[in-house]
Amino acid sequence: MRPFSSWHLTILCTLLITLFVFWTFFYVYNNEDRNIRSLEYDTVWSATNGRTEFYKFSNSLTRFLYSRTQSDLDDARIKFEILLGRIDTWNSGSFKDFLNETPELIPVFSALRADLDYLARALFPSSQETPEEVLPVLARASKKIDLISGTSYQSSIERFAGERQKFRERLMNEKRIVMGLLVLAMCLLAIVMRQNLILSRANEKIAGVANQLAHMAKHDALTALPNRTLLDEYLNQARREMTLNEMVLAVALDLDGFKAINDTLGHAGGDALLVSLARKLQKTADSLPGRNLVARVGGDEFFLLSWGQKNRLRIDETVARLAGIFEVPLETSIGSLLVGASIGYAVAEGTRELDFVTLNADLALTEAKARGRGTSIRFASQMRSQLERRLQIERELPVALQRRTIQPNYQLQYNLVTGQPVGVEALARWFHEEIGQVSPNEFIPIAEASGDVIELGQFMLKTACRDVQRLPGHIRVAVNLSMVQLLNDDVFDLVETTLRETGLPPRRLKLEVTESIFMHNVETVSSVLTNMQNLGVAISLDDFGTGYSALGYLNNFKWDELKIDRSFVNACEVSSKALNIVSVIQSLAEKMNANLLVEGLETSEQVTIFRNLGCRYGQGFHYSRAMPIEDVCAWFSRNGDRAGVKADIGSAAGL
């Protein structure tokens, strides 16, 4: 677009300034005229109506004075109220300004108000005023009202005459200015016609840019595939147009290990892979029946929507073809790359199901990724139920913590050789009134994600330290510390304060942690755990043999106990390799001067197997389930000496 020349700008600015001055001048004067005329009209109108209302009242009052009937009195009162309302308007607004401009009327108006006050007394039923006394007052008031209204009318006539002359003079000025504006308008018209051609060309360029921006708003910048916005528009179109014999298949794909590719090859390598995959997906979609849309909705997440006849869409075949893309390397700008994908898919056979089809596919994808790489899963209704249950748990977890409906239960830990209890493990249990028993595997991860696990951990630690003091003195309590708690700055102060406030000897407390905590900050974690050991608290490595198990973690800290995960218990019954692994762990624990405790013992055969392997301590349903502290106390009361410390249980001091 070409810029204006200086003379163009000069003419345009001159015209605009002139228009502004002209508009301001006449707008102000016209408004002023209107306001003055309006005020004058209001003044005359108020005066006229005041006179009219007075005469109505005068007639009603006169009639009452002679008749002394209730109906005439009521009528006179009504007319008097109306008159007072009118007289009140004389003491405000434009009429008051008129009175102030006419000083000789001010005492007249005051005398009128005094006459009205006198006349008001004549309206009382008990009034003794006679017509001979009241009528002269009415006459005086009538003269005052006539004087005020007449003066107002005469003043308005004089002012209107002056305004009429001013109007004639302004009209001539307006004509002169209009002629000048017409000349300027012709100049502006010439400028506008010249610029119109320039603007039309500029509009063509803007339209092209707008189309490009509209395309960018609905497409992914990297792969040029539709994005979430266009995906939603496609679904809205399906809602409007889908027939009874049609359906929509939604397939969600998420790459497995894409972060590792980015870390290894850089973002350029990751982008090259995404571009190649986008082309492959689009090519596959084009070969499928129906109306298909491939969209990139996230970093490495893609969606395929296939809309077509129910008898033509092959759901399993479509998913299989998509999964087949990842069976061979993808050719990218940096070479061949092999990558896997997890797939979740859902079907909408009616317009009502379209509202949830992409969400259902996402839920299926989440389930597929949880089951392992390269998995394809179709949406099932229980997935939504699981999501709703999780959301309900997320909402009500803070309430449960506040109301203390999450309570510790205690599972006994035994010496496998003597069969005597040596400790208890505090396990969080939550019974919800609506959804029943909520597993710790459900609410603990949610508590960790929300930060509520800190409050939960504090409550569990303090309660367990109080409860264990109700048990025999040789019984220790094991309390789990989450990663979030352990990385919290005040966890050591919490343990120290809890021991001091509850009076529990530190030797009776054991804190259990998992290997995953060392993945974040080995030095910090080791320092905190060492400080706790210096208090006299035992530290146990939970779920040993699973997850990150590495000898480096054993070397970085002196453990008091290793806990073998329950997964080894079942394995040892059928696998000699598992037996050998447990035997190695037992030997390792002995060399580390650490106790070894087995979780998940459910049968006497399992107890025998691990006792023969040299394991001394264990817990599980074979011995007891987790119980409230009252039940644990009752158990010790019932079992008496069998629950006491035997001579060979002194070796349990390491627990």
Side-chain angles (χ1 to χ4, degrees):
M1 181 175 177
R2 294 173 55 190
F4 282 105
S5 62
S6 59
W7 67 273
H8 288 161
L9 292 173
T10 302
I11 293 176
L12 181 59
C13 291
T14 302
L15 180 60
L16 292 176
I17 293 172
T18 305
L19 286 172
F20 176 76
V21 173
F22 174 77
W23 174 84
T24 303
F25 176 79
F26 287 105
Y27 176 80
V28 171
Y29 272 94
N30 286 339
N31 277 351
E32 183 179 354
D33 289 344
R34 290 193 207 99
N35 292 336
I36 293 173
R37 287 193 292 271
S38 175
L39 293 175
E40 291 295 337
Y41 175 77
D42 288 345
T43 303
V44 175
W45 182 83
S46 295
T48 303
N49 279 292
R51 177 188 290 176
T52 302
E53 299 299 339
F54 177 79
Y55 288 141
K56 290 180 181 179
F57 165 68
S58 178
N59 292 334
S60 297
L61 180 59
T62 303
R63 189 164 48 250
F64 164 69
L65 292 173
Y66 286 103
S67 67
R68 293 292 179 173
T69 62
Q70 184 64 38
S71 60
D72 289 339
L73 174 61
D74 292 339
D75 182 63
R77 285 177 174 174
I78 293 174
K79 296 297 192 299
F80 186 69
E81 291 296 330
I82 295 174
L83 173 61
L84 288 181
R86 185 59 59 189
I87 295 302
D88 286 341
T89 63
W90 287 11
N91 199 30
S92 63
S94 60
F95 205 98
K96 185 175 183 179
D97 294 338
F98 161 70
L99 291 177
N100 292 333
E101 292 173 0
T102 316
E104 62 271 15
L105 293 180
I106 295 177
V108 177
F109 182 74
S110 299
L112 174 63
R113 295 301 295 264
D115 291 342
L116 292 178
D117 291 340
Y118 173 81
L119 293 174
R121 293 193 294 274
L123 297 176
F124 289 97
S126 59
S127 173
Q128 300 300 319
E129 281 79 358
T130 64
E132 290 75 14
E133 295 173 335
V134 175
L135 291 178
V137 178
L138 279 174
R140 290 199 307 271
S142 176
K143 291 179 181 180
K144 295 180 179 68
I145 288 180
D146 289 342
L147 177 60
I148 293 173
S149 60
T151 304
S152 170
Y153 182 73
Q154 183 62 34
S155 176
S156 298
I157 291 175
E158 293 173 356
R159 182 168 297 185
F160 284 144
E163 292 298 326
R164 191 178 302 112
Q165 180 60 34
K166 292 181 181 179
F167 177 74
R168 292 193 188 98
E169 294 174 358
R170 279 203 304 272
L171 184 61
M172 292 303 297
N173 292 333
E174 288 178 7
K175 290 180 179 179
R176 296 186 185 97
I177 294 175
V178 168
M179 292 301 296
L181 289 176
L182 287 175
V183 174
L184 289 175
M186 295 299 294
C187 297
L188 180 61
L189 179 62
I191 295 174
V192 170
M193 292 179 63
R194 184 174 183 277
Q195 296 300 322
N196 187 53
L197 178 61
I198 298 174
L199 290 174
S200 62
R201 294 173 181 172
N203 286 334
E204 293 177 359
K205 294 181 180 179
I206 292 173
V209 173
N211 291 334
Q212 182 179 1
L213 291 175
H215 182 273
M216 293 174 61
K218 298 180 180 180
H219 291 77
D220 176 55
L222 176 64
T223 63
L225 289 177
N227 59 14
R228 176 72 72 175
T229 301
L230 195 54
L231 182 75
D232 292 339
E233 290 184 3
Y234 183 88
L235 287 172
N236 290 333
Q237 181 184 1
R239 290 186 187 94
R240 295 190 302 268
E241 303 176 6
M242 193 169 74
T243 61
L244 293 177
N245 62 342
E246 290 182 327
M247 67 179 182
V248 172
L249 168 65
V251 184
L253 304 95
D254 190 89
L255 299 183
D256 296 330
F258 182 69
K259 183 178 183 301
I261 292 177
N262 266 338
D263 293 342
T264 304
L265 302 177
H267 290 289
D271 290 347
L273 174 62
L274 294 174
V275 170
S276 176
L277 176 59
R279 289 197 298 263
K280 192 74 172 178
L281 289 172
Q282 188 63 63
K283 183 178 180 181
T284 303
D286 292 340
S287 65
L288 296 173
R291 289 178 281 181
N292 304 308
L293 177 77
V294 178
R296 182 189 178 203
V297 296
D300 60 336
E301 185 177 354
F302 294 82
F303 251 101
L304 167 69
L305 291 182
S306 185
W307 173 14
Q309 300 290 327
K310 294 179 180 179
N311 58 358
R312 293 192 60 200
L313 287 182
R314 301 289 183 264
I315 298 174
D316 294 337
E317 179 182 339
T318 299
V319 175
R321 290 185 62 179
L322 292 173
I325 294 175
F326 304 95
E327 295 177 356
V328 296
L330 292 171
E331 298 299 327
T332 72
S333 59
I334 61 172
S336 298
L337 294 175
L338 183 63
V339 66
S342 299
I343 298 176
Y345 59 100
V347 176
E349 298 186 358
T351 54
R352 299 183 66 178
E353 296 176 350
L354 281 173
D355 295 335
F356 308 101
V357 68
T358 54
L359 176 60
N360 292 342
D362 267 328
L363 290 175
L365 175 61
T366 301
E367 183 68 19
K369 293 183 74 67
R371 295 189 185 182
R373 297 188 173 194
T375 304
S376 299
I377 294 180
R378 181 169 180 167
F379 170 77
S381 58
Q382 61 265 27
M383 296 179 186
R384 182 173 297 278
S385 300
Q386 292 170 358
L387 174 63
E388 293 173 351
R389 179 182 173 93
R390 176 182 174 86
L391 294 176
Q392 184 177 9
I393 292 174
E394 288 179 351
R395 289 194 307 269
E396 300 189 16
L397 179 59
V399 178
L401 292 174
Q402 183 180 10
R403 296 179 179 176
R404 300 304 189 209
T405 53
I406 301 178
Q407 288 289 330
N409 282 10
Y410 301 91
Q411 187 176 44
L412 292 169
Q413 297 176 334
Y414 280 79
N415 185 311
L416 301 184
V417 178
T418 65
Q420 299 297 320
V422 293
V424 292
E425 180 180 5
L427 301 170
R429 293 294 183 264
W430 180 12
F431 183 80
H432 193 280
E433 293 180 354
E434 295 180 7
I435 61 180
Q437 193 71 39
V438 184
S439 169
N441 293 332
E442 289 184 282
F443 69 81
I444 293 297
I446 294 175
E448 289 180 338
S450 65
D452 290 328
V453 72
I454 294 179
E455 180 181 353
L456 174 61
Q458 292 174 351
F459 172 72
M460 289 289 294
L461 177 64
K462 293 179 180 179
T463 304
C465 289
R466 284 194 299 266
D467 288 348
V468 73
Q469 296 185 76
R470 300 170 60 182
L471 305 179
H474 70 285
I475 298 297
R476 286 190 167 190
V477 63
V479 181
N480 290 279
L481 281 183
S482 71
M483 178 176 62
V484 177
Q485 286 179 276
L486 197 56
L487 296 178
N488 193 285
D489 293 339
D490 61 355
V491 64
F492 174 77
D493 294 335
L494 170 66
V495 173
E496 185 179 35
T497 302
T498 300
L499 291 173
R500 183 175 64 254
E501 291 179 350
T502 60
L504 181 71
R507 62 178 178 78
R508 297 189 65 186
L509 176 62
K510 177 173 60 178
L511 298 176
E512 297 185 359
V513 298
T514 60
E515 295 168 293
S516 59
I517 61 173
F518 285 96
M519 295 293 291
H520 296 271
N521 192 323
V522 176
E523 293 182 0
T524 300
V525 171
S526 298
S527 175
V528 173
L529 295 180
T530 299
N531 289 337
M532 292 184 184
Q533 280 183 326
N534 293 337
L535 287 176
V537 176
I539 305 298
S540 173
L541 182 59
D542 197 9
D543 297 335
F544 183 74
T546 63
Y548 301 98
S549 297
L551 294 179
Y553 301 146
L554 299 180
N555 186 50
N556 287 324
F557 185 74
K558 183 183 181 304
W559 299 96
D560 298 294
E561 177 187 86
L562 304 180
K563 292 187 71 173
I564 296 180
D565 185 69
R566 65 184 66 247
S567 61
F568 281 96
V569 174
N570 294 328
C572 285
E573 291 185 301
V574 296
S575 171
S576 59
K577 176 186 282 188
L579 287 171
N580 292 333
I581 292 175
V582 173
S583 180
V584 171
I585 295 175
Q586 168 61 26
S587 177
L588 179 64
E590 290 180 356
K591 289 181 171 56
M592 294 174 58
N593 197 27
N595 291 298
L596 191 64
L597 187 144
V598 184
E599 293 183 291
L601 297 174
E602 297 185 359
T603 65
S604 57
E605 290 78 8
Q606 293 171 346
V607 173
T608 301
I609 290 173
F610 283 92
R611 185 170 56 231
N612 292 338
L613 288 173
C615 301
R616 290 184 58 83
Y617 307 105
Q619 66 185 89
F621 291 166
H622 172 70
Y623 292 108
S624 73
R625 294 181 179 271
M627 301 176 289
I629 186 60
E630 290 76 11
D631 294 346
V632 178
C633 293
W635 186 92
F636 276 96
S637 297
R638 288 193 307 269
N639 287 273
D641 293 340
R642 290 196 299 121
V645 183
K646 300 296 182 180
D648 56 346
I649 297 209
S651 59
L655 279 176

